Protein backbone atom coordinates (compact mmCIF):
# COMPACT_ATOMS: atom_id res chain seq x y z
CA UNK A 1 0.00 0.00 0.00
CA UNK A 2 1.09 3.57 -0.67
CA UNK A 3 -0.59 6.21 1.46
CA UNK A 4 0.16 9.80 0.64
CA UNK A 5 -1.06 13.08 2.05
CA UNK A 6 -0.98 16.03 -0.30
CA UNK A 7 -0.79 19.08 1.90
CA UNK A 8 -0.80 22.85 1.52
CA UNK A 9 -2.94 25.96 1.81
CA UNK A 10 -6.22 26.37 -0.07
CA UNK A 11 -5.50 26.99 -3.72
CA UNK A 12 -2.04 25.42 -3.59
CA UNK A 13 -2.93 22.93 -6.32
CA UNK A 14 -3.59 19.84 -4.21
CA UNK A 15 -6.64 18.82 -6.22
CA UNK A 16 -4.98 19.27 -9.61
CA UNK A 17 -1.87 17.35 -8.64
CA UNK A 18 -3.73 14.65 -6.68
CA UNK A 19 -5.80 13.77 -9.77
CA UNK A 20 -2.67 13.40 -11.90
CA UNK A 21 -0.85 11.38 -9.23
CA UNK A 22 -3.82 9.08 -8.64
CA UNK A 23 -3.88 8.28 -12.34
CA UNK A 24 -0.13 7.69 -12.65
CA UNK A 25 0.24 5.51 -9.55
CA UNK A 26 -3.18 3.84 -9.60
CA UNK A 27 -4.18 5.30 -6.25
CA UNK A 28 -7.60 6.13 -4.89
CA UNK A 29 -7.95 9.93 -4.69
CA UNK A 30 -9.91 11.05 -1.65
CA UNK A 31 -10.69 14.77 -1.43
CA UNK A 32 -12.78 15.76 1.58
CA UNK A 33 -13.62 19.04 -0.18
CA UNK A 34 -15.03 17.10 -3.16
CA UNK A 35 -16.90 14.74 -0.82
CA UNK A 36 -18.53 17.73 0.92
CA UNK A 37 -19.45 19.31 -2.42
CA UNK A 38 -21.07 16.04 -3.50
CA UNK A 39 -23.14 15.98 -0.29
CA UNK A 40 -24.07 19.63 -0.84
CA UNK A 41 -25.10 18.87 -4.43
CA UNK A 42 -27.23 15.97 -3.21
CA UNK A 43 -28.82 18.29 -0.61
CA UNK A 44 -28.16 15.66 2.07
CA UNK A 45 -28.30 16.43 5.79
CA UNK A 46 -24.50 16.23 5.91
CA UNK A 47 -24.28 18.63 2.97
CA UNK A 48 -26.55 21.11 4.67
CA UNK A 49 -24.46 20.99 7.82
CA UNK A 50 -21.18 21.32 5.88
CA UNK A 51 -22.45 24.36 3.96
CA UNK A 52 -22.90 26.32 7.17
CA UNK A 53 -19.16 26.01 7.88
CA UNK A 54 -17.79 26.12 4.34
CA UNK A 55 -19.59 29.35 3.48
CA UNK A 56 -17.89 31.03 6.43
CA UNK A 57 -14.45 29.71 5.52
CA UNK A 58 -14.38 27.53 8.65
CA UNK A 59 -13.52 23.86 8.97
CA UNK A 60 -16.32 21.33 9.23
CA UNK A 61 -16.11 19.72 12.73
CA UNK A 62 -13.66 16.81 12.99
CA UNK A 63 -16.27 14.26 14.03
CA UNK A 64 -18.33 14.93 10.91
CA UNK A 65 -15.34 14.99 8.57
CA UNK A 66 -13.75 11.84 9.97
CA UNK A 67 -17.08 9.99 9.78
CA UNK A 68 -17.51 11.00 6.14
CA UNK A 69 -13.95 9.95 5.29
CA UNK A 70 -14.38 6.52 6.89
CA UNK A 71 -17.60 5.97 4.96
CA UNK A 72 -15.89 6.93 1.69
CA UNK A 73 -13.02 4.51 2.31
CA UNK A 74 -15.42 1.71 3.22
CA UNK A 75 -17.39 2.32 0.00
CA UNK A 76 -14.28 1.87 -2.11
CA UNK A 77 -13.07 -1.33 -0.45
CA UNK A 78 -9.47 -2.38 -0.95
CA UNK A 79 -7.12 -0.39 -3.17
CA UNK A 80 -3.45 -0.32 -3.97
CA UNK A 81 -3.18 2.89 -1.98
CA UNK A 82 -4.75 6.24 -1.23
CA UNK A 83 -3.88 9.83 -1.90
CA UNK A 84 -5.47 12.10 0.69
CA UNK A 85 -6.23 15.62 -0.52
CA UNK A 86 -7.50 18.18 1.98
CA UNK A 87 -7.36 15.67 4.83
CA UNK A 88 -6.07 15.64 7.57
CA UNK A 89 -6.64 19.33 8.22
CA UNK A 90 -6.29 19.23 12.02
CA UNK A 91 -3.97 17.28 14.31
CA UNK A 92 -6.98 15.39 15.67
CA UNK A 93 -7.86 14.32 12.13
CA UNK A 94 -4.25 13.16 11.65
CA UNK A 95 -4.43 11.11 14.84
CA UNK A 96 -7.74 9.57 13.76
CA UNK A 97 -6.27 8.69 10.36
CA UNK A 98 -3.20 7.08 11.96
CA UNK A 99 -5.38 5.02 14.27
CA UNK A 100 -7.56 3.95 11.39
CA UNK A 101 -4.57 2.85 9.30
CA UNK A 102 -2.98 1.08 12.25
CA UNK A 103 -6.02 -1.17 12.48
CA UNK A 104 -4.93 -2.68 9.17
CA UNK A 105 -1.22 -2.46 10.06
CA UNK A 106 -0.83 0.35 7.60
CA UNK A 107 0.50 3.89 7.81
CA UNK A 108 1.02 7.19 6.00
CA UNK A 109 4.23 6.95 3.97
CA UNK A 110 4.73 10.63 3.34
CA UNK A 111 3.07 14.02 3.57
CA UNK A 112 4.08 16.38 0.78
CA UNK A 113 3.40 20.05 1.29
CA UNK A 114 3.04 22.45 -1.65
CA UNK A 115 4.51 25.82 -0.78
CA UNK A 116 2.82 28.83 -2.36
CA UNK A 117 2.88 32.46 -1.17
CA UNK A 118 -0.33 34.01 0.22
CA UNK A 119 -0.57 36.60 -2.55
CA UNK A 120 -0.47 33.96 -5.28
CA UNK A 121 -2.98 31.79 -3.42
CA UNK A 122 -5.53 34.58 -3.26
CA UNK A 123 -5.09 35.36 -6.98
CA UNK A 124 -5.44 31.68 -7.91
CA UNK A 125 -8.58 31.14 -5.83
CA UNK A 126 -10.29 34.23 -7.20
CA UNK A 127 -9.49 33.08 -10.73
CA UNK A 128 -10.81 29.58 -9.95
CA UNK A 129 -14.01 31.15 -8.54
CA UNK A 130 -14.77 32.72 -11.92
CA UNK A 131 -15.32 29.28 -13.44
CA UNK A 132 -15.80 26.81 -10.57
CA UNK A 133 -19.07 28.24 -9.28
CA UNK A 134 -17.76 27.71 -5.73
CA UNK A 135 -19.19 30.44 -3.50
CA UNK A 136 -16.24 30.06 -1.10
CA UNK A 137 -13.90 31.00 -3.97
CA UNK A 138 -15.66 34.25 -4.84
CA UNK A 139 -15.51 36.24 -1.63
CA UNK A 140 -12.15 37.64 -0.55
CA UNK A 141 -13.17 37.72 3.14
CA UNK A 142 -13.96 33.98 3.03
CA UNK A 143 -10.66 33.29 1.28
CA UNK A 144 -8.78 35.26 3.95
CA UNK A 145 -10.45 33.33 6.74
CA UNK A 146 -9.60 30.01 5.02
CA UNK A 147 -5.96 31.07 4.94
CA UNK A 148 -6.05 32.05 8.61
CA UNK A 149 -7.70 28.76 9.57
CA UNK A 150 -5.02 26.96 7.55
CA UNK A 151 -2.23 28.68 9.49
CA UNK A 152 -3.80 28.16 12.88
CA UNK A 153 -5.42 24.72 12.66
CA UNK A 154 -3.91 22.94 9.66
CA UNK A 155 -0.24 23.92 9.63
CA UNK A 156 0.42 21.98 12.90
CA UNK A 157 -0.37 18.78 10.98
CA UNK A 158 2.94 19.29 9.15
CA UNK A 159 4.90 19.26 12.43
CA UNK A 160 2.94 16.20 13.53
CA UNK A 161 4.24 14.16 10.56
CA UNK A 162 7.62 15.88 10.58
CA UNK A 163 8.19 14.56 14.09
CA UNK A 164 8.15 11.08 12.47
CA UNK A 165 10.34 12.24 9.56
CA UNK A 166 7.45 11.86 7.19
CA UNK A 167 6.93 15.44 6.00
CA UNK A 168 8.47 17.14 2.97
CA UNK A 169 7.95 20.50 1.29
CA UNK A 170 8.23 21.25 -2.40
CA UNK A 171 7.71 24.40 -4.44
CA UNK A 172 4.05 24.68 -5.41
CA UNK A 173 4.34 27.69 -7.69
CA UNK A 174 5.28 27.58 -11.36
CA UNK A 175 4.46 25.14 -14.10
CA UNK A 176 1.89 22.40 -13.30
CA UNK A 177 3.94 19.72 -15.08
CA UNK A 178 7.15 20.74 -13.31
CA UNK A 179 5.44 20.53 -9.91
CA UNK A 180 4.07 17.13 -10.94
CA UNK A 181 7.59 15.95 -11.81
CA UNK A 182 8.88 17.07 -8.38
CA UNK A 183 6.05 15.21 -6.68
CA UNK A 184 6.74 12.05 -8.69
CA UNK A 185 10.43 12.22 -7.77
CA UNK A 186 9.56 12.31 -4.06
CA UNK A 187 7.03 9.49 -4.38
CA UNK A 188 9.40 7.29 -6.40
CA UNK A 189 12.05 7.79 -3.74
CA UNK A 190 9.67 6.92 -0.90
CA UNK A 191 8.28 3.85 -2.64
CA UNK A 192 11.77 2.55 -3.47
CA UNK A 193 12.61 2.73 0.24
CA UNK A 194 9.59 0.56 1.12
P1 LIG B 1 -9.43 24.37 -0.66
O1 LIG B 1 -8.32 23.52 -0.14
O2 LIG B 1 -9.25 24.86 -2.04
O3 LIG B 1 -9.79 25.46 0.29
P2 LIG B 1 -11.31 22.12 -0.38
O4 LIG B 1 -12.13 21.77 -1.55
O5 LIG B 1 -10.25 21.18 0.03
O6 LIG B 1 -10.76 23.56 -0.73
O7 LIG B 1 -12.23 22.39 0.89
C1 LIG B 1 -13.32 23.30 0.84
C2 LIG B 1 -13.88 23.51 2.24
O8 LIG B 1 -14.40 22.26 2.75
C3 LIG B 1 -12.88 23.96 3.31
O9 LIG B 1 -12.69 25.36 3.32
C4 LIG B 1 -13.53 23.42 4.59
O10 LIG B 1 -14.57 24.27 5.03
C5 LIG B 1 -14.17 22.10 4.14
N1 LIG B 1 -13.23 20.97 4.36
C6 LIG B 1 -12.58 20.26 3.41
N2 LIG B 1 -11.80 19.30 3.96
C7 LIG B 1 -11.95 19.42 5.31
C8 LIG B 1 -11.40 18.74 6.44
N3 LIG B 1 -10.52 17.74 6.31
N4 LIG B 1 -11.80 19.13 7.68
C9 LIG B 1 -12.68 20.11 7.84
N5 LIG B 1 -13.24 20.80 6.84
C10 LIG B 1 -12.89 20.47 5.57
Amino acid sequence: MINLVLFGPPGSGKGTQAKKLAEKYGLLHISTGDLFRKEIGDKSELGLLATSYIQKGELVPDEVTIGMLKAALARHGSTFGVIYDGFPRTVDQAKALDEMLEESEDEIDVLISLKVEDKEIIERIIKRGESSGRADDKDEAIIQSRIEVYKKETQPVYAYYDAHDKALTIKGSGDIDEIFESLCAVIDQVTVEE
Side-chain angles (χ1 to χ4, degrees), residues 10 14 32-33 37 54 58 60 86 89 93 128 134 146:
K14 300 183 295 287
T32 40
R37 282 185 285 279
I54 293 174
E58 293 171 6
V60 180
R89 246 173 162 105
Q93 289 182 13
R128 179 171 72 184
R134 279 177 57 173
R146 282 156 66 194

Side-chain angles (χ1 to χ4, degrees), residues 3-8 12-19 21 29 82-88 110-114 170 183 187:
N3 293 300
L4 308 171
V5 175
L6 206 53
F7 193 74
S12 56
K14 300 183 295 287
T16 306
Q17 297 293 344
K19 272 190 208 85
L21 292 170
H29 172 204
V82 181
I83 177 156
Y84 296 92
D85 156 13
F87 185 94
V110 68
L111 172 149
I112 313 174
S113 178
L114 297 168
I170 68 159
L183 285 166
I187 295 166

Side-chain angles (χ1 to χ4, degrees), residues 157-174:
V157 172
Y158 188 91
Y160 175 83
Y161 286 103
D162 196 32
H164 303 280
D165 278 332
K166 285 185 176 180
L168 286 166
T169 302
I170 68 159
K171 191 167 136 249
S173 57

Side-chain angles (χ1 to χ4, degrees), residues 71-107:
L73 286 172
R75 267 201 307 276
H76 284 284
S78 66
T79 60
F80 172 59
V82 181
I83 177 156
Y84 296 92
D85 156 13
F87 185 94
R89 246 173 162 105
T90 63
V91 170
D92 280 345
Q93 289 182 13
K95 288 181 181 162
L97 179 61
D98 278 358
E99 278 169 24
M100 214 168 72
L101 291 171
E102 259 166 42
E103 280 172 23
S104 44
E105 289 177 20
D106 212 348
E107 60 181 356

